[in-house]
Amino acid sequence: MSAVHPIETVFIPDGDVRARPADLFPGTTAEQWRAHGDLVDATGRLVFAVGAFLLRAKGYLALVDLGLGEVHIDTPAGASYRGGGLIGNLAAAGVTPDAVDLVVFTHLHRDHVGWTSTGGALTFANARHVVHRAEWEHWHRNPSPLGPDPATVLEPLRETVEFCADGAEIADGLHVIETPGHTPGHISLAAGPRTVIAGDVLHSPAQLRHPHWCFGSDTDPARAAASRGRLLREYGPDVLACGHFT
């Protein structure tokens, strides 16, 4: 039997997203969110971290998701989007872009693909780039402002992207778990025996108490809730690594 090597998993921030809770979780009320006051800022907006998980394993360095990129946006509805810190924070962790061997996308929403390319070329030029085939095909058939920008994401990846499926071992100790619902090809990743990177199966710690609360951009809320229930049943909150939790 081959040895199981540990995978160190560290969150690398890129920025954050802030918005009113009811705008992000349709059907929830201000009264319900009063029980989660520790999750909001001084203006009453939920705060979501945005960034990437850095995986250090024997033989490779991997990133799961790529943050927002150089973004500074305020919307008329009172939301804010701030990104741009990922590369500097990787450098602080001793990692340069050319040292990354693997990039895995849990899905292709804008806040997960922001550093895919820089100046028209892949930012992590030496890395394999992996996504679920259903995710890739969905955004080609259904372009949307929520999805990947064709010029900065889809086009730079076109010749090099690799596809994965449920149960696949992408790298030593790193396995795919299909968790559709937030998007059609959303995946989570088992990184060794004690960590599961959940992606956007969970957006807020409030969903640990209210797993039926669905996010506004879920393409299929019922499937998203089913995927969330599955991860919580099979792995539990002590194992799940959630990139949007602050």
Side-chain angles (χ1 to χ4, degrees):
M1 181 180 294
S2 61
V4 177
H5 300 293
I7 301 176
E8 179 189 14
T9 305
V10 180
F11 184 71
I12 306 295
D14 186 44
D16 64 42
V17 174
R18 299 171 187 246
R20 292 189 299 247
D23 291 344
L24 297 171
F25 292 90
T28 63
T29 67
E31 179 64 30
Q32 290 172 314
W33 283 102
R34 285 194 189 97
H36 303 284
D38 58 317
L39 303 179
V40 302
D41 65 12
T43 68
R45 297 179 301 171
L46 279 180
V47 183
F48 289 160
V50 177
F53 280 102
L54 171 66
L55 310 184
R56 298 180 187 266
K58 184 178 175 62
Y60 66 89
L61 280 178
L63 289 175
V64 180
D65 294 329
L66 295 180
L68 273 166
E70 295 282 1
V71 169
H72 188 121
I73 297 173
D74 296 292
T75 74
S80 67
Y81 299 81
R82 303 284 188 271
L86 184 68
I87 302 302
N89 287 325
L90 280 172
V95 176
T96 59
D98 61 359
V100 175
D101 303 294
L102 172 66
V103 171
V104 185
F105 299 103
T106 61
H107 63 300
L108 297 179
H109 274 156
R110 294 259 174 155
D111 58 327
H112 292 256
V113 299
W115 286 100
T116 301
S117 68
T118 305
L122 292 175
T123 305
F124 302 95
N126 296 329
R128 299 162 52 209
H129 288 71
V130 179
V131 68
H132 196 286
R133 182 182 293 274
E135 186 74 7
W136 181 259
E137 293 178 351
H138 169 76
W139 293 112
H140 280 81
R141 293 192 306 266
N142 302 279
S144 160
L146 293 175
D149 177 59
T152 62
V153 179
L154 298 182
E155 204 49 51
L157 286 173
R158 189 173 304 280
E159 298 301 320
T160 58
V161 67
E162 299 178 26
F163 300 121
C164 63
D166 193 42
E169 186 173 27
I170 300 174
D172 186 28
L174 189 62
H175 293 84
V176 174
I177 306 169
E178 289 182 354
T179 46
H182 182 58
T183 60
H186 187 285
I187 61 171
S188 302
L189 292 162
R194 291 295 301 164
T195 303
V196 171
I197 299 171
D200 279 9
V201 172
L202 288 149
H203 284 84
S204 169
Q207 290 175 291
L208 298 175
R209 290 178 57 186
H210 309 283
H212 58 287
W213 286 5
C214 288
F215 201 68
S217 61
D218 288 347
T219 58
D220 187 332
R223 291 188 81 192
S227 290
R228 185 160 46 254
R230 174 191 171 197
L231 283 194
L232 289 170
R233 283 193 309 272
E234 295 185 7
Y235 302 101
D238 58 323
V239 174
L240 298 178
C242 303
H244 286 311
F245 288 17
T246 52

